[in-house]
Amino acid sequence: MSRVLILGAGIAGHTAAMHARHRLPSHHEVVVVSPNSQWNWIPSNIWVGTGYMKPEQVTFPLAPVYQKLGIPFHQARAVSIHPEGSDGRTSPYVTIEYTAPDKLGQVAQLDYDFLINATGPRLNFGATKGLGPEANSLSVCTYGHASQTAAALRQTIERMKRGDPQTLLIGTGHGTCTCQGAAFEYLFNVEYELRRQGVRDKARLVWLSNEAELGDFGMGGMFLRRGGYVTHSRVFAESLFTERGVEWITGAHVKEVGAGETTYETLDGLEGSVTHDFAMLLPPFTGVGLRAINRDGTDVTSDLFAPSQFMFVDGITARNPMRSGRRPTGRKRTRVPDTRTCSRSASRSRRPTRSASR
């Protein structure tokens, strides 16, 4: 019997668990670890953030699903990976800390034969002073954040209905953000809602983004074929923003989000600020901060994870030995489990680490 251990139960982790359990023979074990009790279809959080959907419409409890499928589920966060085991423990394992109320804070170790890291990102609100729901801006990154944002949007609309003009700032909250698409979608959902509520004339909508230009979306934009012509997405985006009366500031790194004012610096070195009544600014991401420890207790986190704390996904766990001036003598590579047999012995002292994160 082999054990496939999956860290994370979001879109990637939950999908991996479903496919692994479906494809592997029943004598192999699939185990899931996630700090969250609920599964969340994150792309629909923008609808929660405008009030069109409720949190319960974009979530469901994980435990009953996994119980039905015979998948052991641990509501816990992964703390460290031990791919070579440790002294007196030959099997590789992961240390976890429980987040479930009945086991809160308890620590355990789970052995594995194959490991899938699908922990996803950590929301790095701390990268910008004043950024985030616990400070001076809003978010739609989680269903809880989105519900809070919807309530703030309703209050903003009510003020406009009383005749008070409002400025709504939407975009990215740091120069290294990578989720411009979600903020873009949210912007135009809000613009539609303002028109639907009959208060669009009372609203100033401002888009603040670290994109080099409109339509970039953090990937250099797209070329779209329409009406026999191939056009860059910048043209479509600028046309849409102009048509809907949305102001835009691009190439901007947010320096600080204050209570009612956000300051930024552009790629040209120009500094500016926007005063606002409502600000929904997405944060940059990092990895969740997993550590990697080898058999003798040495921290080898930098061999498995980038400085951003995301796991390397090129299949190489011995990272660039040329950096240290040593000639590489070999490269340790990950291996994909054979779903037809998956018969690696649990007694092997060295086993691969498989990452399917993000």
Side-chain angles (χ1 to χ4, degrees), residues 3 73 197 234 317:
R3 172 183 286 177
F73 173 58
Q197 294 285 351
R234 176 184 61 82
T317 58

Side-chain angles (χ1 to χ4, degrees), residues 199-233:
V199 294
R200 183 63 182 88
D201 61 320
K202 296 292 184 183
R204 178 193 177 203
L205 271 178
V206 182
W207 170 252
L208 180 64
S209 176
N210 62 340
E211 301 165 281
E213 59 186 7
L214 285 184
D216 180 275
F217 298 114
M219 59 182 186
M222 302 166 283
F223 287 94
L224 308 173
R225 187 181 297 276
R226 185 80 176 264
Y229 296 92
V230 176
T231 307
H232 192 271
S233 53

Side-chain angles (χ1 to χ4, degrees), residues 81-119:
I81 300 172
H82 303 255
E84 297 180 342
S86 60
D87 286 344
R89 188 171 189 153
T90 58
S91 297
Y93 66 92
V94 172
T95 298
I96 64 173
E97 181 181 333
Y98 284 94
T99 59
D102 59 334
K103 293 185 176 181
L104 186 63
Q106 295 183 29
V107 175
Q109 287 78 40
L110 298 178
D111 292 346
Y112 67 83
D113 296 282
F114 299 97
L115 178 66
I116 298 177
N117 177 22
T119 48

Side-chain angles (χ1 to χ4, degrees), residues 141-188:
C141 292
T142 70
Y143 63 87
H145 291 171
S147 181
Q148 178 182 352
T149 300
L153 180 61
R154 286 194 298 270
Q155 294 173 2
T156 301
I157 290 173
E158 287 303 314
R159 289 194 291 269
M160 286 187 278
K161 287 184 175 180
R162 294 194 297 266
D164 299 331
Q166 301 283 286
T167 296
L168 293 83
L169 179 66
I170 297 173
T172 58
H174 192 272
T176 63
C177 289
T178 56
C179 200
Q180 297 89 348
F184 176 89
E185 290 182 85
Y186 184 72
L187 170 70
F188 284 100

Side-chain angles (χ1 to χ4, degrees), residues 33-113:
V33 174
S34 173
N36 302 311
S37 63
Q38 298 283 111
W39 189 85
N40 175 206
W41 176 243
I42 293 173
S44 288
N45 287 347
I46 59 168
W47 301 103
V48 177
T50 48
Y52 298 144
M53 299 185 76
K54 302 296 183 184
E56 55 268 25
Q57 293 177 287
V58 299
T59 60
F60 61 77
L62 288 164
V65 176
Y66 292 140
Q67 183 178 13
K68 180 178 180 180
L69 295 174
I71 298 175
F73 173 58
H74 300 265
Q75 188 183 330
R77 68 180 187 93
V79 176
S80 57
I81 300 172
H82 303 255
E84 297 180 342
S86 60
D87 286 344
R89 188 171 189 153
T90 58
S91 297
Y93 66 92
V94 172
T95 298
I96 64 173
E97 181 181 333
Y98 284 94
T99 59
D102 59 334
K103 293 185 176 181
L104 186 63
Q106 295 183 29
V107 175
Q109 287 78 40
L110 298 178
D111 292 346
Y112 67 83
D113 296 282

Side-chain angles (χ1 to χ4, degrees), residues 287-311:
V288 298
L290 275 170
R291 297 174 60 213
I293 311 294
N294 71 6
R295 180 184 296 278
D296 63 9
T298 302
D299 191 310
V300 292
T301 302
S302 61
D303 289 341
L304 268 68
F305 295 88
S308 63
Q309 301 181 344
F310 286 116
M311 179 175 271

Side-chain angles (χ1 to χ4, degrees), residues 233-266:
S233 53
R234 176 184 61 82
V235 176
F236 282 94
E238 289 183 353
S239 297
L240 178 60
F241 276 68
T242 301
E243 175 188 316
R244 300 294 175 85
V246 179
E247 302 172 38
W248 67 86
I249 303 166
T250 54
H253 162 67
V254 173
K255 299 177 69 175
E256 183 176 350
V257 182
E261 183 176 16
T262 292
T263 58
Y264 62 88
E265 182 178 358
T266 69

